[in-house]
Amino acid sequence: MIESMMGLLDNYTEDQLRDIAAYYAAQDTKVGQADSSNFELGQRIYRAGNLSGGVPACTGCHGPQGKGVESAGYPKLSGQKAEYVVTSLVAYKTGERVHSSNAKIMQGIAARLTTEEIRAVANYVSGLY
Ligand code: HEC
């Protein structure tokens, strides 16, 4: 990844690079392949949970960058496709995904998420690296 960027920016002056950075900073951030309209809701759920709904912050187990804790059985979420995350959360919510005792942890959480919150948090996760 890093190697592929090397040399790419060599022909730009510092001023040009600053202009390019300013241009991108001014664009709407697109997260994953989903739209950015629910980014804030997704970020809030991921980082802080939903107190009124009793949803714990996802960061508590999956980590701030979504890297997970393999040794504890908390899977990595960063970079997952939003559709995959939605499908997984819905499967926990409906009880379709019960293959492990760990799945019970996610069932309790997904059951408290609304469809809108699932979409938003899935969108957010797909952009985490
Ligand atoms: C208390 C710890 C804990 C919290 C908090 C938690 N998770 Fe999980 N999560 C787990 C565990 C354990 C698994 C693996 C369950 C299994 O084996 O099916 C998992 C699995 C998942 C998966 C499936 C990943 C895969 O690779 O198939 C998704 C998606 C997910 N969690 C999303 C979330 C989201 C979104 C939140 C916040 C709303 C959240 N989790 C909060 C522990 C947690």
Side-chain angles (χ1 to χ4, degrees), residues 45 55-58 61-62 73-75 77 80 84-85 88-89 92 97 99-100 102-103 105-106 109 113 121:
I45 300 279
V55 178
C58 318
C61 296
H62 296 285
Y74 303 150
L77 297 182
Q80 285 284 19
Y84 175 80
V85 176
S88 302
L89 290 174
Y92 286 126
R97 186 162 167 180
H99 63 84
S100 71
N102 268 346
I105 300 176
M106 279 312 300
I109 294 169
L113 290 169
V121 82

Side-chain angles (χ1 to χ4, degrees), residues 6-55:
M6 279 162 76
L8 215 60
L9 303 173
D10 287 357
N11 296 327
Y12 291 99
T13 66
E14 228 174 273
D15 274 353
Q16 283 173 322
L17 289 176
R18 223 169 274 134
D19 284 349
I20 294 169
Y23 171 80
Y24 283 108
Q27 304 303 305
D28 267 349
T29 327
K30 285 267 186 286
V31 178
Q33 56 288 89
D35 68 313
S36 55
S37 61
N38 57 11
F39 179 82
E40 270 174 41
L41 175 63
Q43 185 177 51
R44 198 167 352 115
I45 300 279
Y46 192 84
R47 296 202 181 155
N50 179 350
L51 273 188
S52 58
V55 178

Side-chain angles (χ1 to χ4, degrees), residues 101-122:
S101 55
N102 268 346
K104 291 209 182 66
I105 300 176
M106 279 312 300
Q107 279 184 320
I109 294 169
R112 294 191 181 93
L113 290 169
T114 65
T115 306
E116 192 195 355
E117 287 171 334
I118 286 179
R119 283 214 191 94
V121 82

